[in-house]
Amino acid sequence: MIEPTTLELAHTTHGDTSSHTDPANVPQHGIHPAEGFDVNPWQLRWRGLDIGMIGRTETLFALSNGHIGLRGSFEEGEPVDKPGTYLSGFYEVRDLPYAESGYGFPEAGQTVVNVTDSKIIRLLVEDEPMDLRYGRTVEHERILDFRTGTLRRSTLWTSPTGRTVRIRSERLVSFTKRTVAAIRYEVEPIGEDMKLVLQSDLLANEPIGGISAKDDPRMAAELDRPLNAELADCEDLSAVLVHRTRRSGLSVAAGMDHELELPANADTAIRADGDLARLTVAATVPQGTKMVLTKYMGYGWSARRSAPALRAQVDAALAMAKETGWEALKQEQSDYLDEFWLDADIELDGDPELQQAVRFSLFHVLQAGARGQSRAVPAKGLTGPGYDGHTFWDTETFVLPMLTYTVPAAAGEELRWRHMTLDKAKARAAELGQAGAMFPWRSINGEECSGYWPAGTAGVHVSADIANATARYIRATGDEAFEVECGVELLVEIARFFSGFGHRDSSGRFRIDGITGPDEYTAVVNNNVFTNLAAQQALRDAVAAVGRQPHAARELGVLDEEVANWASAADDMTVPYDEALGVHQQSESFTLLDRWDFEGSKGRYPLLLNYPYFDLYRKQVVKQADLVFAMYLFGDRFTPEQKLANFDYYYPITVRDSSLSACCEAVTAAEVGYLDLSYDLMSESVFTDLHDLHNNVSSGLHIAALAGAWTDCVAGFGGMRDFGGHITFAPRLPKQLNYMSFRMVIRESRIVVAIDGDTATYRLLSGPTIDLAHHGERFTLGDEPVTRTIAPIEERTPPAAPPGCEPYRRSTR
């Protein structure tokens, strides 16, 4: 564990004192405080230089639009941890090694590819390469701006030979032109005239360093030169490279074009060959003037199109970008984000650092899903190679709720991707002797690529999670076209899977046996409550969808008897309950297992890197909040008394080795009255990446944990629930916050909810009137705001966390 240091953070919001990390309150999950970051409500600013932080800042400063992702590596190419340029859905196939294979084991894995890097603009100052590891860095700052959608950088650097230059750059990945990115790079000599050389590159097959999956299963597999050159061409100030993967057969084209602003004549030369295209610009630049290079980058990839066709696509993207121009691209980016924040902003008062972290989270979730357009949202977005670039259940269960109520079009596109992979899910089910569709635990192209079947194949709840997200999207948006084209079929095939996969016992109860729920420390069990309730909801949603869209159902061959079986299975679903303890069992007989020795495992988290699964599976120890999360998603199936008893039982045995746990526990803690604990758990979720709580942010952001910031604010402190399309709120703030407001889009209605002390005010910003509820009191929200009081809640002392797993507290209060 790396010891934390005390923070000194500037602040700009509300005049409050910024928070500090208290070493005495740091849990044993390897926490690094966010040293170097200013607290600002709309920016993430890093001042100074710390080479040891490069991997983290490359991730935190990553830019993406859901289609293209650029890690925040320096333009000069070095120093670098993982350079990282990713395209959504672009991967290479690799073998999955098994010590002992078996029928139905996936044969091949998939790994995201670091495609051709177009970010590189090398600088030579009088033949001295600009490299922050050498010479002297007098000033250095980088700013990720949540309103402009750009990454800005300013560096004052003195070379080893004593020459000083000021470097300013700004980059963007366009939200409005999904195949385009751009960089503006300026160099100003200080104190004397200088000969400067810029080398603007396209570089394929870059070496990738860092920890591999051999050391940590959360990391990426290593790929050795995955791209084969197919085409290289250049002309004037532009160049293009086309490559093809060896095994997945995907082709990628990367292109660049440039504009130059120079105070005098310059020599230019361009070349393109194999894995490298390079524009070289050499000029003598007088002091008091600047050398400015604007670089436009374009990408395209396909499994079917030829190299010339991809090259033509990239040429067109570059022409469009250059015709638009740098300033107009920036304005489009800013305008897009203005619209996003109108629908998605969350405003907090009382904790400036938390305010910054929440907006940082919302911004990165937008980047992950905004323009994927019928492609998956990976667990790391496009910010790093962690988890091999795979998509998990995280997307539908954590990310899509936020997108559904803020950027619904993006949520619809991700669900359309799931529908596009339905043939693979049906083939997987058939391979395993099942009806319907069985979606993969982890994948890039829709095929299962988890080689560990107890967590992968047995994690059937992912299919129910997709069904639940589909039904939620349809309810929240009223998108009938999607329901007819995609939604009904998704729900029907998932219902067919669960109705056939489960069975009835001698008492007539419907059971789902031999499965793994969200908690990966308890595998291959019977009747996991989360899975059974998720399946129950999926079956009921399929029945409702067939009733709404009978024509679509007939085309799928749905029979009345089949629908009746789905309804009956849902009504008779088994939900294990321990009468003696008065709590639900996470899975059947879970409460009979021996308890884990939490005292003995202090300092040895995460457990998956220090103990065998063989032992974890036999004990009461929870990695990922499982039953507790079910009480939020399916809260109408539990009484308030059951929620409190269940939370008190499971919180002391949940170690939160998963980055998803804290936000799940935070929501339920707020509901049962543990507001201080909820605040701490929310902080842990929100600062997962900014403070690198899991010691792996260099491999990419935890997008689902970032989406948890929205969940914790809106569903936790806002108490928002959507059961059957009825939107209700039960707002209540912890004492650490003075005020909170959040915005939502529900069908055509845009609303804002403002919580101020003991009152909540609901406003309709646009759209038709909408029926809502406040702490059980129903009302119709129209042109006039509605204000309601918030009754005090009984203060309770929460149970203790497992030793060494105390929630993250940034300050004593």
Side-chain angles (χ1 to χ4, degrees):
M1 173 180 172
I2 299 178
E3 292 296 324
T5 60
T6 301
L7 304 183
E8 289 187 356
L9 299 174
H11 57 87
T12 59
T13 56
H14 307 298
D16 292 344
T17 302
S18 57
S19 300
H20 301 273
T21 297
D22 181 358
N25 284 313
V26 174
Q28 297 185 33
H29 284 68
I31 288 171
H32 306 267
E35 58 272 13
F37 291 114
D38 291 356
V39 174
N40 183 298
W42 289 104
Q43 296 177 349
L44 185 68
R45 181 194 298 261
W46 171 274
R47 301 177 192 266
L49 180 66
D50 183 347
I51 298 297
M53 287 280 289
I54 284 179
R56 286 176 60 190
T57 54
E58 286 173 357
T59 293
L60 299 175
F61 289 135
L63 293 177
S64 172
N65 61 9
H67 179 62
I68 302 170
L70 306 181
R71 278 174 64 82
S73 50
F74 295 123
E75 286 85 4
E76 295 80 20
E78 294 183 14
V80 66
D81 180 68
K82 298 176 185 66
T85 301
Y86 309 106
L87 298 177
S88 180
F90 194 88
Y91 66 95
E92 178 59 307
V93 172
R94 58 183 174 83
D95 293 330
L96 285 177
Y98 295 103
E100 186 173 338
S101 189
Y103 177 80
F105 284 17
E107 296 180 357
Q110 302 154 19
T111 297
V112 65
V113 174
N114 175 37
V115 300
T116 309
D117 190 351
S118 61
K119 303 185 299 294
I120 300 172
I121 304 174
R122 303 186 194 276
L123 168 64
L124 291 91
V125 179
E126 297 282 353
D127 80 7
E128 189 81 40
M130 192 279 178
D131 188 323
L132 293 174
R133 293 169 297 187
Y134 304 97
R136 187 165 65 95
T137 302
V138 183
E139 299 173 11
H140 178 67
E141 73 171 18
R142 307 181 84 191
I143 300 171
L144 181 67
D145 195 308
F146 313 146
R147 286 183 292 195
T148 65
T150 63
L151 174 62
R152 299 191 294 274
R153 171 265 190 103
S154 177
T155 304
L156 186 65
W157 179 74
T158 300
S159 72
T161 56
R163 294 180 173 88
T164 300
V165 292
R166 167 77 69 181
I167 302 159
R168 293 185 176 90
S169 69
E170 188 169 14
R171 71 173 72 162
L172 62 85
V173 177
S174 176
F175 284 119
T176 58
K177 296 175 173 58
R178 68 189 290 261
T179 59
V180 168
I183 300 174
R184 186 173 178 87
Y185 189 89
E186 303 179 358
V187 188
E188 177 185 0
I190 305 297
E192 59 182 300
D193 300 350
M194 290 182 201
K195 293 182 179 179
L196 304 177
V197 177
L198 295 180
Q199 295 175 327
S200 179
D201 289 358
L202 296 174
L203 178 62
N205 289 315
E206 290 175 291
I208 302 294
I211 298 173
S212 75
K214 292 183 295 184
D215 308 299
D216 185 337
R218 300 168 296 181
M219 303 304 158
E222 296 177 356
L223 297 176
D224 181 25
R225 299 185 61 80
L227 299 174
N228 288 332
E230 286 199 329
L231 182 153
D233 196 12
C234 59
E235 182 181 6
D236 297 330
L237 301 179
S238 66
V240 64
L241 299 178
V242 180
H243 287 77
R244 188 177 181 84
T245 58
R246 293 186 176 93
R247 298 183 60 182
S248 63
L250 304 181
S251 295
V252 57
M256 61 180 181
D257 202 351
H258 303 82
E259 292 174 341
L260 292 170
E261 300 174 31
L262 300 168
N265 292 331
D267 292 328
T268 62
I270 195 165
R271 51 164 287 203
D273 183 20
D275 289 345
L276 176 66
R278 172 172 290 164
L279 170 69
T280 301
V281 181
T284 298
V285 180
Q287 61 174 317
T289 64
K290 299 176 183 177
M291 186 180 196
V292 182
L293 176 74
T294 303
K295 182 176 187 176
Y296 302 100
M297 303 101 82
Y299 286 92
W301 75 265
S302 175
R304 299 185 179 93
R305 281 179 289 160
S306 65
L310 283 173
R311 185 256 171 85
Q313 176 189 356
V314 168
D315 283 346
L318 291 172
M320 176 177 60
K322 201 169 182 180
E323 189 278 332
T324 303
W326 169 255
E327 292 300 330
L329 282 175
K330 279 183 59 180
Q331 187 60 52
E332 289 178 2
Q333 193 83 339
S334 179
D335 292 345
Y336 182 95
L337 284 164
D338 285 346
E339 291 297 316
F340 168 71
W341 293 116
L342 282 174
D343 289 339
D345 190 28
I346 295 175
E347 185 179 0
L348 303 172
D349 180 66
D351 190 334
E353 191 183 9
L354 190 69
Q355 172 71 88
Q356 177 189 41
V358 166
R359 286 194 176 123
F360 169 88
S361 300
L362 301 182
F363 175 74
H364 270 296
V365 175
L366 173 71
Q367 288 200 129
R371 299 299 304 274
Q373 292 182 298
S374 298
R375 297 221 173 95
V377 178
K380 298 290 187 179
L382 298 176
T383 65
Y387 292 118
D388 285 311
H390 292 164
T391 293
F392 295 76
W393 70 294
D394 309 15
T395 298
E396 283 76 20
T397 309
F398 292 85
V399 178
L400 289 200
M402 172 191 154
L403 294 180
T404 295
Y405 298 109
T406 57
V407 195
E413 287 297 324
E414 197 279 342
L415 290 169
R416 285 183 181 276
W417 172 77
R418 286 294 192 185
H419 184 259
M420 289 170 58
T421 67
L422 188 56
D423 58 335
K424 295 182 174 67
K426 293 172 70 174
R428 180 62 172 161
E431 180 183 24
L432 298 175
Q434 305 300 321
M438 184 175 180
F439 284 89
W441 175 253
R442 58 190 297 170
S443 183
I444 294 178
N445 73 350
E447 296 175 344
E448 180 63 76
C449 57
S450 170
Y452 189 63
W453 71 266
T457 301
V460 299
H461 69 85
V462 65
S463 295
D465 300 331
I466 292 167
N468 297 165
T470 299
R472 181 193 304 113
Y473 172 78
I474 293 169
R475 291 194 306 267
T477 65
D479 188 345
E480 188 172 4
F482 168 84
E483 183 174 31
V484 171
E485 296 166 11
C486 306
V488 173
E489 189 173 16
L490 282 169
L491 292 169
V492 163
E493 295 300 342
I494 292 170
R496 284 171 169 164
F497 168 74
F498 279 109
S499 64
F501 185 72
H503 70 100
R504 291 185 183 274
D505 61 21
S506 58
S507 68
R509 302 301 298 171
F510 192 82
R511 301 173 56 87
I512 303 179
D513 296 330
I515 58 171
T516 300
D519 173 28
E520 297 160 39
Y521 286 173
T522 310
V524 195
V525 297
N526 298 334
N527 294 310
N528 168 260
V529 170
F530 181 101
T531 303
N532 284 22
L533 291 180
Q536 181 185 62
Q537 187 64 52
L539 291 164
R540 288 175 173 165
D541 286 333
V543 172
V546 166
R548 287 191 303 270
Q549 305 294 345
H551 178 71
R554 284 195 297 270
E555 289 187 344
L556 296 170
V558 177
L559 302 176
D560 291 344
E561 180 183 3
E562 194 175 15
V563 177
N565 285 337
W566 299 344
S568 176
D571 290 342
D572 296 334
M573 187 67 69
T574 299
V575 180
Y577 186 79
D578 188 322
E579 295 285 352
L581 293 174
V583 298
H584 286 84
Q585 296 177 311
Q586 180 173 287
S587 54
E588 203 166 76
S589 301
F590 179 84
T591 53
L592 302 180
L593 298 176
D594 189 17
R595 285 226 171 186
W596 183 263
D597 179 11
F598 296 101
E599 192 66 40
S601 58
K602 285 181 64 174
R604 302 187 69 186
Y605 294 104
L607 298 181
L608 65 96
L609 298 184
N610 293 283
Y611 295 92
Y613 278 110
F614 172 76
D615 201 19
L616 294 168
Y617 290 165
R618 298 167 53 246
K619 305 289 177 61
Q620 288 191 58
V621 55
V622 178
K623 172 187 178 183
Q624 155 68 38
D626 190 313
L627 180 67
V628 166
F629 194 33
M631 294 193 299
Y632 157 53
L633 290 179
F634 314 108
D636 53 345
R637 322 292 166 79
F638 299 86
T639 67
E641 294 76 17
Q642 288 172 340
K643 291 177 182 179
L644 179 60
N646 287 338
F647 188 89
D648 286 352
Y649 185 88
Y650 285 95
Y651 179 70
I653 62 173
T654 302
V655 296
R656 299 196 307 286
D657 281 348
S658 166
S659 63
L660 304 179
S661 278
C663 81
C664 303
E665 291 183 319
V667 172
T668 306
E671 183 174 1
V672 301
Y674 298 142
L675 289 174
D676 283 353
L677 176 59
S678 178
Y679 174 81
D680 288 336
L681 288 164
M682 176 196 180
S683 297
E684 183 172 315
S685 178
V686 171
F687 288 101
T688 290
D689 289 322
L690 276 176
H691 293 187
D692 200 6
L693 305 193
H694 290 260
N695 283 322
N696 61 358
V697 76
S698 63
S699 288
L701 296 171
H702 299 79
I703 298 299
L706 297 180
W710 182 90
T711 302
D712 288 341
C713 290
V714 175
F717 300 140
M720 191 280 286
R721 299 292 186 272
D722 181 353
F723 296 139
H726 301 295
I727 306 296
T728 64
F729 299 91
R732 187 167 278 113
L733 294 182
K735 62 177 177 293
Q736 295 83 358
L737 298 177
N738 305 315
Y739 171 90
M740 182 181 78
S741 69
F742 57 87
R743 296 162 180 257
M744 293 178 61
V745 181
I746 306 164
R747 292 183 179 258
E748 297 301 318
S749 302
R750 286 169 163 79
I751 68 170
V752 59
V753 180
I755 310 163
D756 190 355
D758 59 358
T759 63
T761 300
Y762 303 84
R763 290 184 174 86
L764 179 66
L765 301 178
S766 66
T769 60
I770 183 171
D771 293 329
L772 303 172
H774 169 89
H775 284 283
E777 177 193 350
R778 295 199 168 275
F779 64 93
T780 298
L781 183 62
D783 293 337
E784 295 299 319
V786 173
T787 299
R788 293 288 185 268
T789 59
I790 301 171
I793 193 172
E794 177 187 352
E795 292 189 18
R796 296 189 176 106
T797 301
C805 298
E806 292 77 13
Y808 182 40
R809 298 183 178 93
R810 294 172 297 118
S811 63
T812 56
R813 295 181 294 278

PDB file of all heavy atoms in Angstrom, residues 495-510:
ATOM      1  N   ALA A 495     -36.842 -14.059 -22.152  1.00  0.00           N
ATOM      2  CA  ALA A 495     -37.878 -14.773 -21.397  1.00  0.00           C
ATOM      3  C   ALA A 495     -37.867 -16.256 -21.754  1.00  0.00           C
ATOM      4  O   ALA A 495     -38.040 -17.122 -20.875  1.00  0.00           O
ATOM      5  CB  ALA A 495     -39.248 -14.165 -21.688  1.00  0.00           C
ATOM      6  N   ARG A 496     -37.675 -16.570 -23.013  1.00  0.00           N
ATOM      7  CA  ARG A 496     -37.601 -17.975 -23.419  1.00  0.00           C
ATOM      8  C   ARG A 496     -36.423 -18.674 -22.741  1.00  0.00           C
ATOM      9  O   ARG A 496     -36.525 -19.838 -22.350  1.00  0.00           O
ATOM     10  CB  ARG A 496     -37.477 -18.062 -24.942  1.00  0.00           C
ATOM     11  CG  ARG A 496     -38.785 -17.805 -25.670  1.00  0.00           C
ATOM     12  CD  ARG A 496     -38.621 -17.685 -27.175  1.00  0.00           C
ATOM     13  NE  ARG A 496     -39.927 -17.703 -27.834  1.00  0.00           N
ATOM     14  CZ  ARG A 496     -40.139 -17.324 -29.094  1.00  0.00           C
ATOM     15  NH1 ARG A 496     -39.109 -16.883 -29.843  1.00  0.00           N
ATOM     16  NH2 ARG A 496     -41.353 -17.386 -29.616  1.00  0.00           N
ATOM     17  N   PHE A 497     -35.325 -17.960 -22.617  1.00  0.00           N
ATOM     18  CA  PHE A 497     -34.171 -18.564 -21.945  1.00  0.00           C
ATOM     19  C   PHE A 497     -34.496 -18.894 -20.499  1.00  0.00           C
ATOM     20  O   PHE A 497     -34.303 -20.027 -20.038  1.00  0.00           O
ATOM     21  CB  PHE A 497     -32.961 -17.631 -22.025  1.00  0.00           C
ATOM     22  CG  PHE A 497     -31.840 -18.055 -21.117  1.00  0.00           C
ATOM     23  CD1 PHE A 497     -31.056 -19.152 -21.426  1.00  0.00           C
ATOM     24  CD2 PHE A 497     -31.589 -17.370 -19.925  1.00  0.00           C
ATOM     25  CE1 PHE A 497     -30.038 -19.564 -20.572  1.00  0.00           C
ATOM     26  CE2 PHE A 497     -30.588 -17.779 -19.073  1.00  0.00           C
ATOM     27  CZ  PHE A 497     -29.800 -18.881 -19.403  1.00  0.00           C
ATOM     28  N   PHE A 498     -34.990 -17.912 -19.744  1.00  0.00           N
ATOM     29  CA  PHE A 498     -35.195 -18.144 -18.309  1.00  0.00           C
ATOM     30  C   PHE A 498     -36.320 -19.138 -18.040  1.00  0.00           C
ATOM     31  O   PHE A 498     -36.243 -19.924 -17.094  1.00  0.00           O
ATOM     32  CB  PHE A 498     -35.446 -16.817 -17.593  1.00  0.00           C
ATOM     33  CG  PHE A 498     -34.189 -16.064 -17.296  1.00  0.00           C
ATOM     34  CD1 PHE A 498     -33.872 -14.907 -17.986  1.00  0.00           C
ATOM     35  CD2 PHE A 498     -33.303 -16.522 -16.337  1.00  0.00           C
ATOM     36  CE1 PHE A 498     -32.693 -14.221 -17.721  1.00  0.00           C
ATOM     37  CE2 PHE A 498     -32.123 -15.842 -16.068  1.00  0.00           C
ATOM     38  CZ  PHE A 498     -31.820 -14.693 -16.758  1.00  0.00           C
ATOM     39  N   SER A 499     -37.363 -19.116 -18.859  1.00  0.00           N
ATOM     40  CA  SER A 499     -38.453 -20.057 -18.620  1.00  0.00           C
ATOM     41  C   SER A 499     -38.007 -21.487 -18.858  1.00  0.00           C
ATOM     42  O   SER A 499     -38.517 -22.419 -18.213  1.00  0.00           O
ATOM     43  CB  SER A 499     -39.658 -19.724 -19.500  1.00  0.00           C
ATOM     44  OG  SER A 499     -39.332 -19.872 -20.882  1.00  0.00           O
ATOM     45  N   GLY A 500     -37.023 -21.681 -19.749  1.00  0.00           N
ATOM     46  CA  GLY A 500     -36.497 -23.017 -19.997  1.00  0.00           C
ATOM     47  C   GLY A 500     -35.345 -23.385 -19.093  1.00  0.00           C
ATOM     48  O   GLY A 500     -35.172 -24.561 -18.732  1.00  0.00           O
ATOM     49  N   PHE A 501     -34.571 -22.408 -18.701  1.00  0.00           N
ATOM     50  CA  PHE A 501     -33.399 -22.659 -17.867  1.00  0.00           C
ATOM     51  C   PHE A 501     -33.806 -22.998 -16.443  1.00  0.00           C
ATOM     52  O   PHE A 501     -33.194 -23.829 -15.778  1.00  0.00           O
ATOM     53  CB  PHE A 501     -32.494 -21.420 -17.878  1.00  0.00           C
ATOM     54  CG  PHE A 501     -31.189 -21.598 -17.154  1.00  0.00           C
ATOM     55  CD1 PHE A 501     -30.189 -22.394 -17.681  1.00  0.00           C
ATOM     56  CD2 PHE A 501     -30.956 -20.969 -15.940  1.00  0.00           C
ATOM     57  CE1 PHE A 501     -28.982 -22.557 -17.026  1.00  0.00           C
ATOM     58  CE2 PHE A 501     -29.760 -21.126 -15.270  1.00  0.00           C
ATOM     59  CZ  PHE A 501     -28.763 -21.927 -15.823  1.00  0.00           C
ATOM     60  N   GLY A 502     -34.823 -22.336 -15.942  1.00  0.00           N
ATOM     61  CA  GLY A 502     -35.326 -22.639 -14.609  1.00  0.00           C
ATOM     62  C   GLY A 502     -36.239 -23.860 -14.627  1.00  0.00           C
ATOM     63  O   GLY A 502     -36.559 -24.418 -15.680  1.00  0.00           O
ATOM     64  N   HIS A 503     -36.683 -24.283 -13.465  1.00  0.00           N
ATOM     65  CA  HIS A 503     -37.579 -25.438 -13.379  1.00  0.00           C
ATOM     66  C   HIS A 503     -38.397 -25.320 -12.102  1.00  0.00           C
ATOM     67  O   HIS A 503     -38.093 -24.534 -11.198  1.00  0.00           O
ATOM     68  CB  HIS A 503     -36.779 -26.739 -13.375  1.00  0.00           C
ATOM     69  CG  HIS A 503     -36.003 -26.968 -12.108  1.00  0.00           C
ATOM     70  ND1 HIS A 503     -36.438 -27.804 -11.107  1.00  0.00           N
ATOM     71  CD2 HIS A 503     -34.829 -26.436 -11.657  1.00  0.00           C
ATOM     72  CE1 HIS A 503     -35.562 -27.797 -10.119  1.00  0.00           C
ATOM     73  NE2 HIS A 503     -34.587 -26.976 -10.427  1.00  0.00           N
ATOM     74  N   ARG A 504     -39.436 -26.127 -12.001  1.00  0.00           N
ATOM     75  CA  ARG A 504     -40.289 -26.128 -10.814  1.00  0.00           C
ATOM     76  C   ARG A 504     -39.902 -27.284  -9.902  1.00  0.00           C
ATOM     77  O   ARG A 504     -39.598 -28.389 -10.356  1.00  0.00           O
ATOM     78  CB  ARG A 504     -41.756 -26.247 -11.216  1.00  0.00           C
ATOM     79  CG  ARG A 504     -42.265 -25.006 -11.921  1.00  0.00           C
ATOM     80  CD  ARG A 504     -43.748 -25.102 -12.205  1.00  0.00           C
ATOM     81  NE  ARG A 504     -44.208 -23.926 -12.935  1.00  0.00           N
ATOM     82  CZ  ARG A 504     -44.587 -22.781 -12.375  1.00  0.00           C
ATOM     83  NH1 ARG A 504     -44.566 -22.673 -11.058  1.00  0.00           N
ATOM     84  NH2 ARG A 504     -44.980 -21.768 -13.118  1.00  0.00           N
ATOM     85  N   ASP A 505     -39.905 -27.004  -8.592  1.00  0.00           N
ATOM     86  CA  ASP A 505     -39.634 -28.071  -7.635  1.00  0.00           C
ATOM     87  C   ASP A 505     -40.939 -28.773  -7.266  1.00  0.00           C
ATOM     88  O   ASP A 505     -42.007 -28.468  -7.819  1.00  0.00           O
ATOM     89  CB  ASP A 505     -38.891 -27.538  -6.410  1.00  0.00           C
ATOM     90  CG  ASP A 505     -39.687 -26.486  -5.647  1.00  0.00           C
ATOM     91  OD1 ASP A 505     -40.933 -26.434  -5.801  1.00  0.00           O
ATOM     92  OD2 ASP A 505     -39.071 -25.718  -4.878  1.00  0.00           O
ATOM     93  N   SER A 506     -40.853 -29.691  -6.319  1.00  0.00           N
ATOM     94  CA  SER A 506     -42.016 -30.499  -5.965  1.00  0.00           C
ATOM     95  C   SER A 506     -43.149 -29.674  -5.371  1.00  0.00           C
ATOM     96  O   SER A 506     -44.313 -30.092  -5.403  1.00  0.00           O
ATOM     97  CB  SER A 506     -41.610 -31.591  -4.972  1.00  0.00           C
ATOM     98  OG  SER A 506     -41.044 -31.004  -3.799  1.00  0.00           O
ATOM     99  N   SER A 507     -42.802 -28.502  -4.830  1.00  0.00           N
ATOM    100  CA  SER A 507     -43.848 -27.648  -4.256  1.00  0.00           C
ATOM    101  C   SER A 507     -44.442 -26.692  -5.280  1.00  0.00           C
ATOM    102  O   SER A 507     -45.347 -25.922  -4.954  1.00  0.00           O
ATOM    103  CB  SER A 507     -43.278 -26.846  -3.085  1.00  0.00           C
ATOM    104  OG  SER A 507     -42.332 -25.887  -3.554  1.00  0.00           O
ATOM    105  N   GLY A 508     -43.922 -26.715  -6.501  1.00  0.00           N
ATOM    106  CA  GLY A 508     -44.425 -25.835  -7.544  1.00  0.00           C
ATOM    107  C   GLY A 508     -43.701 -24.511  -7.647  1.00  0.00           C
ATOM    108  O   GLY A 508     -44.016 -23.691  -8.519  1.00  0.00           O
ATOM    109  N   ARG A 509     -42.701 -24.261  -6.796  1.00  0.00           N
ATOM    110  CA  ARG A 509     -41.924 -23.023  -6.877  1.00  0.00           C
ATOM    111  C   ARG A 509     -40.981 -23.085  -8.072  1.00  0.00           C
ATOM    112  O   ARG A 509     -40.445 -24.144  -8.414  1.00  0.00           O
ATOM    113  CB  ARG A 509     -41.111 -22.795  -5.592  1.00  0.00           C
ATOM    114  CG  ARG A 509     -41.940 -22.723  -4.326  1.00  0.00           C
ATOM    115  CD  ARG A 509     -42.962 -21.602  -4.384  1.00  0.00           C
ATOM    116  NE  ARG A 509     -42.330 -20.290  -4.508  1.00  0.00           N
ATOM    117  CZ  ARG A 509     -43.003 -19.163  -4.743  1.00  0.00           C
ATOM    118  NH1 ARG A 509     -44.317 -19.207  -4.922  1.00  0.00           N
ATOM    119  NH2 ARG A 509     -42.381 -18.013  -4.815  1.00  0.00           N
ATOM    120  N   PHE A 510     -40.756 -21.937  -8.718  1.00  0.00           N
ATOM    121  CA  PHE A 510     -39.862 -21.865  -9.872  1.00  0.00           C
ATOM    122  C   PHE A 510     -38.454 -21.554  -9.374  1.00  0.00           C
ATOM    123  O   PHE A 510     -38.240 -20.581  -8.658  1.00  0.00           O
ATOM    124  CB  PHE A 510     -40.337 -20.784 -10.840  1.00  0.00           C
ATOM    125  CG  PHE A 510     -39.650 -20.828 -12.177  1.00  0.00           C
ATOM    126  CD1 PHE A 510     -40.071 -21.715 -13.160  1.00  0.00           C
ATOM    127  CD2 PHE A 510     -38.572 -19.997 -12.452  1.00  0.00           C
ATOM    128  CE1 PHE A 510     -39.443 -21.756 -14.402  1.00  0.00           C
ATOM    129  CE2 PHE A 510     -37.946 -20.032 -13.678  1.00  0.00           C
ATOM    130  CZ  PHE A 510     -38.374 -20.922 -14.662  1.00  0.00           C
TER     131      PHE A 510
END
